[in-house]
Amino acid sequence: MTPPPDVLVIGGGPAGVGAALAAAGHGLAVTLVDEAPQAGGQVYRATPRTFRNTPTTSDHRIGETLRYRLAESVVETIFDHAVWSVSPGFRVDALGPRGLHCWHSRAVIVATGAQERVVPFPGWTLPGVIGLAGATILLKSQHMLPGRRTLVAGCGPLLLAVAAGILKAGGEVAGVIDLASRREWLSTLSHAISRPDLLARGTAWAGRLKAAGVPILSRHSILRVESGSKGLHAVVGPLDPHGRPVCEGKQRLFDVDAVAVGNGLTPSTDITRLLQADHVFNKAQGGWHARIDSDFRTSVAGLYAVGDATGISGAAAAELDGQLAGLAAAHDLGALPAPAYESQVPPLRSRAARARRFGGAMARLMALKPGQVAAVPAGTILCRCEDVTRAEIDAAIGEGAVTVNQLKAWTRAGMGPCQGRICGDIIGTLLAGSTEGCETAQQFTGRSPLRPLPLDQIVGDYDYADIALPPPAPL
């Protein structure tokens, strides 16, 4: 039987790999668990091993280096396993191809990254409408186009990345619909200069789109998407500085096969909420995230959180922060003496702070504008798992609901398979407009299972005949 690990890292992106390598480098037994087939996370996602002629990009090269370092280390890696529960005392349960797996560890490092935010609009649940992150997976990992002709909309650097990726793969981009204004992009320039490599790449993407004649509409958004006989009809309109549609503005219609849309990122807090760690709300960092100290310790002893799960900061900062979290765990578990720890940490912190400037600027650019959620029409579905509309949420607020958990109990919003990961941020923002703010609205309570589980894989061969029934009570 394999002995339990000292440290269990959940998440195989740059933050998780950085943490695992740092902790293992000081003699700790480290296990890294990820639901993907290989390490890399969203940014450095690996192409399936069965694919040939993988195109070489800077992200692919960085990801391959990350995976090589992990493979050459003593870290135990468990891929294709989705963590569905983490219990007090750090029992971690996961489901993989061969069924259930369980670990007990002395410490847990949560490096689960971020999830995409989509502000709902009429038609956002139609087939053919996907997130920018979903489009990125198709392009990077599967080498597939979202559609022959795609409209790319939302905010942040993924807009240009997805649009340029579609062109490079031979697809057509109908337009790029950007929530941000040109002035807002210019305001990030001073921070972007700190990452000349990323600035050059973004400039190249913009140049490619311009050369292809792709229209880029600043301070615009999708108002609605309708299904037609030959595809999708997307109606786009201008916004005011607060993110509300301008009624007298000129609307444009795009006939497309697919719409890729994303309104920024929010930290993944499933596990830290489940373990009842303290959380804070920071709009500029994507919303709610686990409260951490300078060494990435949460309020729960032995639980660390790192990367975009602690506020959106980008992949470059994530790997460095992961190393810091791994060193902190090694120090706390007695594997790294204080003098060595204090000599290794300062230069890493300095590099991480520099890397965080660019990621922080992008996070602020993607932050929700006050009018975005307020302008969602009443009949629009907010919780797509349970088909709960804006009107139903407003009615519950009007009847006295003051927290998202009350809304959940009254409307079933957040009770579906995604456990509120998609709708929680938007519903909380709506509720905050009727209470004292997002801190008062709170978060959905974390619950197991974190992911939907197939019952046959949990139950196995167990049958009703295996149930031990007590003898009947005497009459």
Side-chain angles (χ1 to χ4, degrees), residues 398-441:
E399 291 169 3
V402 295
T403 69
V404 291
N405 285 305
Q406 283 181 311
L407 284 174
K408 181 178 183 178
W410 295 3
T411 68
R412 292 192 58 83
M415 286 190 181
C418 90
Q419 291 283 291
R421 285 188 296 275
I422 304 300
C423 64
D425 178 60
I426 303 302
I427 289 174
T429 302
L430 265 179
L431 184 59
S434 299
T435 59
E436 298 175 4
C438 286
E439 291 84 354
T440 304

Side-chain angles (χ1 to χ4, degrees), residues 53-432:
N53 302 321
T54 300
T56 301
T57 64
S58 58
D59 283 348
H60 178 75
R61 288 192 293 270
I62 295 171
E64 286 295 287
T65 300
L66 206 69
R67 287 182 280 276
Y68 174 80
R69 289 169 53 205
L70 187 62
E72 292 297 304
S73 73
V74 296
V75 174
E76 179 189 26
T77 55
I78 310 291
F79 295 114
D80 286 316
H81 278 67
V83 172
W84 62 270
S85 179
V86 184
S87 309
F90 301 143
R91 167 180 166 147
V92 178
D93 291 279
L95 179 64
R98 297 184 179 180
L100 298 172
H101 202 114
C102 172
W103 301 269
H104 289 83
S105 64
R106 298 168 62 192
V108 167
I109 299 178
V110 178
T112 48
Q115 54 208 31
E116 189 167 45
R117 173 200 292 128
V118 177
V119 177
F121 51 84
W124 76 295
T125 58
L126 287 172
V129 181
I130 65 172
L132 289 177
T136 302
I137 294 172
L138 287 176
L139 291 166
K140 283 188 174 183
S141 177
Q142 303 300 314
H143 304 167
M144 290 177 61
L145 290 167
R148 293 185 300 273
R149 176 176 164 84
T150 304
L151 184 67
V152 181
C155 60
L158 264 184
L159 272 178
L160 297 180
V162 169
I166 289 172
L167 288 181
K168 185 177 181 180
E172 180 184 356
V173 178
V176 174
I177 313 303
D178 194 348
L179 279 161
S181 66
R182 291 186 178 90
R183 179 176 294 181
E184 287 172 314
W185 273 105
L186 287 173
S187 69
T188 68
L189 190 57
S190 60
H191 301 284
I193 291 173
S194 66
R195 290 297 307 272
D197 56 331
L198 297 182
L199 179 59
R201 186 164 61 172
T203 303
W205 288 337
R208 192 178 302 160
L209 294 171
K210 185 177 180 180
V214 175
I216 300 177
L217 305 183
S218 299
R219 196 182 281 175
H220 279 65
S221 75
I222 295 177
L223 304 181
R224 64 184 182 276
V225 174
E226 300 166 348
S227 181
S229 59
K230 295 184 179 180
L232 300 173
H233 307 303
V235 179
V236 171
L239 307 173
D240 67 16
H242 301 292
R244 286 182 176 272
V246 178
C247 295
E248 65 275 11
K250 182 180 179 182
Q251 297 183 358
R252 294 185 60 173
L253 175 67
F254 291 85
D255 292 321
V256 294
D257 301 301
V259 173
V261 58
N263 302 119
L265 304 170
T266 60
S268 176
T269 60
D270 306 43
I271 295 171
T272 48
R273 280 187 290 120
L274 190 62
L275 292 175
Q276 299 183 21
D278 292 342
H279 288 74
V280 295
F281 183 85
N282 188 321
K283 177 183 174 182
Q285 291 185 312
W288 286 102
H289 61 83
R291 186 195 300 274
I292 54 171
D293 66 11
S294 59
D295 295 304
F296 301 94
R297 303 179 185 93
T298 71
S299 60
V300 177
L303 178 67
Y304 306 79
V306 70
D308 283 344
T310 61
I312 308 305
S313 57
E319 183 177 359
L320 295 168
D321 287 344
Q323 293 177 39
L324 288 166
L327 292 176
H331 172 60
D332 294 345
L333 294 177
L336 180 60
Y341 176 69
E342 291 165 3
S343 67
Q344 292 181 42
V345 164
L348 271 176
R349 280 184 178 159
S350 178
R351 290 172 57 200
R354 287 196 300 272
R356 242 181 255 122
R357 290 172 195 156
F358 178 80
M362 293 299 104
R364 289 189 292 274
L365 185 71
M366 295 185 291
L368 273 178
K369 296 180 183 295
Q372 276 182 268
V373 178
V376 175
T380 305
I381 291 174
L382 299 187
C383 172
R384 61 191 306 169
C385 295
E386 296 292 330
D387 288 337
V388 181
T389 65
R390 161 80 188 266
E392 292 173 280
I393 296 295
D394 286 342
I397 294 172
E399 291 169 3
V402 295
T403 69
V404 291
N405 285 305
Q406 283 181 311
L407 284 174
K408 181 178 183 178
W410 295 3
T411 68
R412 292 192 58 83
M415 286 190 181
C418 90
Q419 291 283 291
R421 285 188 296 275
I422 304 300
C423 64
D425 178 60
I426 303 302
I427 289 174
T429 302
L430 265 179
L431 184 59

